[in-house]
Amino acid sequence: MALLQISEPGKSTNPHERRLAVGIDLGTTNSLIATVRSGEAIVLPDEEGRYLLPSVVRFRAEGSPQIGYPALDASINDPMNTIASSKRMIGRKTADIKSLRDQLPYNFDDESANVPRIITADGPRSAIEVSAEILTALKKRAETSLRGNLGGVVITVPAYFDDAQRQATKDAAKLAGLNVMRLLNEPTAAAVAYGLDQGSEGIYAIYDLGGGTFDVSILHLNKGVFEVLATAGDSALGGDDMDRLIAEWLLDDVDDEELSSNSQFLRQAMVSARTAKEALTENTSTIVSLKLPDGSSREIVLDRTTMDEIIAPVIDKTLIPCRRSLRDAGLDKDDIDGIVMVGGSTRVLSVKEKVERFFEKKLYTDVDPDQVVAVGAAIQADILIGNRSADEMLLLDVIPLSLGIEIMGSMVEKIIPRNATIPVTRAQEFTTYKDGQTAMSIHVVQGERELVSDCRSLARFELRGIPPMAAGSARITVSFKVDADGLLSVSAREATTGIETQVDVKPSYGLTDEEVEQMLRDSITFANDDIKARLLAEQRVEAERVILAIQSALDVDGDKFLNDDERSELVKGINKLKELTDSDNAESIKQAANDLNQLSEVFASRRMDASIRSVMAGHNINEFSE
């Protein structure tokens, strides 16, 4: 029985004043929609009482697309027009999809420049359009169930989704006619559901293994504050990979090479693999029946022990981010109070066994792992729409990778470090490199390495109209702002004139899971090499600055203040430093730059004296003292 909600006089919201808000878990395999009704977060069913909506869309030459169960039923007979696992493609560039093509048996439109499109009977379709169809179906379900128009929605995304993947998700929601109040990280949504339902406090690991993505987040829960301490994961790892390995095992048993290129049979094998995987959560063995193209059938016995061996590489791969998240949070396994299991793939018994063995802590499985993310999103949506006080809960998410800009020498200056709590705004001051410089190019990058070539380019823009002045005199403030959705905007402002420019960073593609993993791995493996490379780059930049400054002074005043021998010595010093600048010896470059600076001291002193005499001409010292 639900408890009555009692409020102070005048503080409660009248039923007719409640605004409709929902939370959506846009999943790789299945999607759900939930809302808060009478103070309780519930998942909304379809007309037949089913809570899950398969994330599958079938495009037809005639008629509207089929979504959910009808599309899933048609996937075996019409695999090339029936798109599943679109979440794996969203926010990715065409070139990035090539690494996944063995897992995505579709025909792609190779002429698509940035956004990959699958060729269907209804024309080329992108992952954004596929996701929009799924969101539209969920929207209709909510409006029918709640009998009204939605005021806003919170959509969950994997914590390891980068800026492009988050923006693509928002674009899909816009196509579906949804007002997105916030994108919420899936592990955080799960923690919201558990934290509010059970009053949990302490440090928890949220292990989220879905159909196509994996995240692990370390959260500190304390009196309604959900602080993410660290996050890690793989944006292309999940139950689909288990299904693919099982399907490959089934194909090996059939032992017919021609079937490996038969798209209809491959889809059947994937569906059968998923069915077998689900059956083995309750049974120790199952029989898989495959219908061969010649009309005959092949029955294959698969037991749980064999399946566990087949899918072990996928489960083991999830433990790598678990170790990294603990290290990033500065914690040991003993500091963890419990593990919240999220995502349908955590129903697999060997997943539970390995996770429990790794953390050596209790697993929380009280809430349906398929529904827990949608429930958490619904609670957050109810707060954001204004139906309950925002003081009840504070979410402190983090960004997964560092953000910065390119500086001279192709180096990266990190402005927002990874695992910084969002929303966040950070600013840093920079200056000009050359005399009279009137513009500055801002190159925004993402990654953990010291050099631009080892990081990912996000955006470029220019600040123009800088007053011409001596190098190092201008003051340009570059500000980074990451909003609650994890989306980035960058601005640059010159102090004297107040001129400003900014860009909302919307890259046309996202980081692949391999690139994210590699970035973090390389930041550790090549830490010493990166430090040496940065020191070398810094010395080269300093050397070039010294050469440019002295050469400019020589061109203007060299004949006035230097005799031939003195000028010759300075020119030799400049040439020596130029030669060393191309070397890889940072210490030699530094020493040569210091030597050249010492050589130029007499020249600099004479120029300064002349400048002072020029200013003093016609005046006496008493005027200046006054």
Side-chain angles (χ1 to χ4, degrees):
M1 181 177 112
L3 295 176
L4 293 175
Q5 302 297 308
I6 301 175
S7 303
E8 293 181 30
K11 297 293 185 179
S12 62
T13 303
N14 294 324
H16 65 279
E17 293 176 340
R18 283 188 69 84
R19 301 181 65 193
L20 300 181
V22 295
I24 292 178
D25 176 7
L26 183 61
T28 306
T29 307
N30 296 294
S31 296
L32 302 94
I33 188 165
T35 192
V36 174
R37 182 181 282 168
S38 300
E40 181 183 359
I42 59 169
V43 177
L44 300 176
D46 63 12
E47 294 175 351
E48 298 183 32
R50 299 172 298 196
Y51 294 103
L52 300 178
L53 175 71
S55 300
V56 185
V57 179
R58 181 194 182 200
F59 292 97
R60 301 179 289 180
E62 297 181 2
S64 58
Q66 292 180 315
I67 305 163
Y69 290 100
L72 185 62
D73 293 339
S75 62
I76 294 177
N77 295 323
D78 191 17
M80 304 310 289
N81 295 307
T82 307
I83 303 174
S85 301
S86 62
K87 189 173 178 178
R88 286 198 163 191
M89 295 180 282
I90 199 164
R92 295 180 183 272
K93 192 178 179 182
T94 302
D96 297 332
I97 292 298
K98 290 180 179 178
S99 64
L100 297 175
R101 284 196 175 184
D102 61 329
Q103 306 170 26
L104 302 169
Y106 307 116
N107 293 322
F108 286 85
D109 181 6
D110 291 326
E111 294 183 3
S112 299
N114 288 321
V115 180
R117 288 181 169 83
I118 297 171
I119 298 173
T120 74
D122 193 29
R125 297 289 179 173
S126 69
I128 292 175
E129 293 170 288
V130 177
S131 297
E133 295 288 353
I134 297 167
L135 290 171
T136 299
L138 291 171
K139 177 187 175 185
K140 290 179 181 177
R141 179 189 295 188
E143 290 177 340
T144 299
S145 178
L146 302 176
R147 299 179 183 178
N149 296 321
L150 299 181
V153 59
V154 169
I155 300 178
T156 60
V157 294
Y160 238 49
F161 257 23
D162 69 4
D163 193 83
Q165 291 165 307
R166 291 169 188 269
Q167 187 60 54
T169 302
K170 291 194 81 170
D171 290 342
K174 186 176 181 180
L175 281 177
L178 292 168
N179 171 34
V180 180
M181 298 183 294
R182 182 169 180 181
L183 297 180
L184 182 63
N185 286 349
E186 290 166 2
T188 310
V192 168
Y194 268 95
L196 292 183
D197 286 352
Q198 301 181 3
S200 302
E201 293 191 2
I203 297 176
Y204 293 82
I206 316 298
Y207 180 98
D208 184 358
L209 184 61
T213 60
F214 170 69
D215 285 308
V216 59
S217 293
I218 309 297
L219 282 83
H220 181 207
L221 279 61
N222 182 30
K223 297 179 181 178
V225 177
F226 296 76
E227 181 182 6
V228 181
L229 303 179
T231 189
D234 193 326
S235 60
L237 179 70
D240 287 357
D241 299 282
M242 298 180 189
D243 299 341
R244 192 179 71 258
L245 292 176
I246 296 170
E248 289 173 357
W249 182 83
L250 294 173
L251 291 174
D252 288 342
D253 192 278
V254 174
D255 194 23
D256 188 336
E257 292 185 5
E258 292 185 5
L259 292 178
S260 61
S261 59
N262 186 313
S263 59
Q264 187 171 330
F265 184 75
L266 289 174
R267 177 58 68 88
Q268 180 196 175
M270 284 290 289
V271 172
S272 298
R274 180 172 300 168
T275 302
K277 179 185 69 179
E278 293 170 354
L280 290 175
T281 60
E282 301 291 338
N283 307 299
T284 56
S285 67
T286 187
I287 297 176
V288 181
S289 180
L290 294 176
K291 186 176 181 180
L292 303 180
D294 61 6
S296 62
S297 295
R298 178 69 178 270
E299 293 189 343
I300 304 169
V301 177
L302 176 63
D303 60 62
R304 188 185 295 166
T305 301
T306 302
M307 185 192 74
D308 289 347
E309 293 174 357
I310 294 170
I311 65 175
V314 174
I315 304 172
D316 292 343
K317 197 174 180 181
T318 68
L319 300 181
I320 298 172
C322 290
R323 293 188 186 92
R324 189 172 66 245
S325 63
L326 284 171
R327 184 174 63 246
D328 288 347
L331 300 172
D332 295 322
K333 296 176 185 178
D334 293 340
D335 298 317
I336 305 297
D337 294 305
I339 317 299
V340 176
M341 301 296 282
V342 184
S345 296
T346 60
R347 283 193 170 91
V348 176
L349 297 180
S350 58
V351 172
K352 295 179 181 178
E353 291 169 1
K354 288 197 173 185
V355 172
E356 190 169 23
R357 194 181 312 138
F358 175 82
F359 283 103
E360 299 176 350
K361 285 293 174 356
K362 174 187 175 182
L363 301 185
Y364 284 81
T365 57
D366 300 11
V367 182
D368 187 320
D370 281 321
Q371 297 187 12
V372 63
V373 169
V375 166
I379 294 170
Q380 175 68 358
D382 201 48
I383 291 174
L384 294 179
I385 204 70
N387 290 333
R388 64 167 76 181
S389 171
D391 295 335
E392 293 182 32
M393 180 174 63
L394 176 63
L395 301 182
L396 301 174
D397 261 334
V398 297
I399 60 170
L401 289 169
S402 300
L403 296 163
I405 67 168
E406 177 180 358
I407 59 176
M408 291 301 298
S410 297
M411 294 179 288
V412 176
E413 183 66 22
K414 295 183 179 69
I415 293 180
I416 299 181
R418 70 187 172 104
N419 283 325
T421 301
I422 60 173
V424 61
T425 299
R426 298 276 177 89
Q428 196 160 321
E429 198 171 79
F430 297 88
T431 189
T432 49
Y433 178 70
K434 293 183 179 181
D435 292 341
Q437 184 176 334
T438 60
M440 177 179 286
S441 176
I442 312 293
H443 182 197
V444 183
V445 296
Q446 181 180 37
E448 302 307 314
R449 303 289 296 279
E450 296 294 332
L451 300 182
V452 171
S453 58
D454 297 319
C455 293
R456 190 58 172 278
S457 173
L458 291 184
R460 295 175 185 268
F461 67 102
E462 289 188 347
L463 175 67
R464 294 187 173 277
I466 301 172
M469 57 183 83
S473 299
R475 292 290 176 266
I476 293 99
T477 301
V478 178
S479 301
F480 276 46
K481 180 181 179 181
V482 180
D483 65 17
D485 295 329
L487 300 177
L488 169 68
S489 61
V490 182
S491 65
R493 184 178 187 276
E494 199 279 319
T496 23
T497 61
I499 60 164
E500 184 173 3
T501 186
Q502 90 167 48
V503 62
D504 291 326
V505 179
K506 294 182 181 179
S508 57
Y509 55 90
L511 296 168
T512 65
D513 55 299
E514 290 86 0
E515 286 172 322
V516 173
E517 291 289 330
Q518 199 62 43
M519 279 182 174
L520 295 174
R521 208 159 31 234
D522 288 350
S523 68
I524 299 169
T525 305
F526 300 110
N528 290 331
D529 292 339
D530 283 353
I531 292 172
K532 292 177 182 177
R534 186 179 181 94
L535 287 174
L536 177 59
E538 288 174 343
Q539 292 304 324
R540 284 175 172 168
V541 170
E542 176 62 16
E544 289 170 0
R545 186 196 63 77
V546 171
I547 291 169
L548 183 62
I550 296 177
Q551 188 63 62
S552 297
L554 278 176
D555 293 341
V556 175
D557 294 327
D559 293 337
K560 295 180 184 178
F561 304 114
L562 294 175
N563 60 40
D564 291 344
D565 290 341
E566 290 171 331
R567 184 178 186 123
S568 177
E569 284 299 313
L570 268 181
V571 171
K572 286 180 182 177
I574 289 173
N575 291 335
K576 179 182 178 182
L577 183 54
K578 283 182 177 178
E579 291 176 8
L580 285 171
T581 300
D582 294 329
S583 74
D584 293 331
N585 193 323
E587 192 58 40
S588 296
I589 297 172
K590 182 178 179 180
Q591 185 59 51
N594 289 337
D595 293 344
L596 182 56
N597 273 323
Q598 289 179 0
L599 277 174
S600 67
E601 284 180 357
V602 173
F603 180 34
S605 176
R606 291 171 185 171
R607 292 185 78 208
M608 179 65 72
D609 291 343
S611 178
I612 293 173
R613 283 196 298 271
S614 175
V615 172
M616 293 284 293
H619 303 277
N620 63 58
I621 192 68
N622 292 328
E623 294 179 50
F624 292 95
S625 62
E626 292 172 2

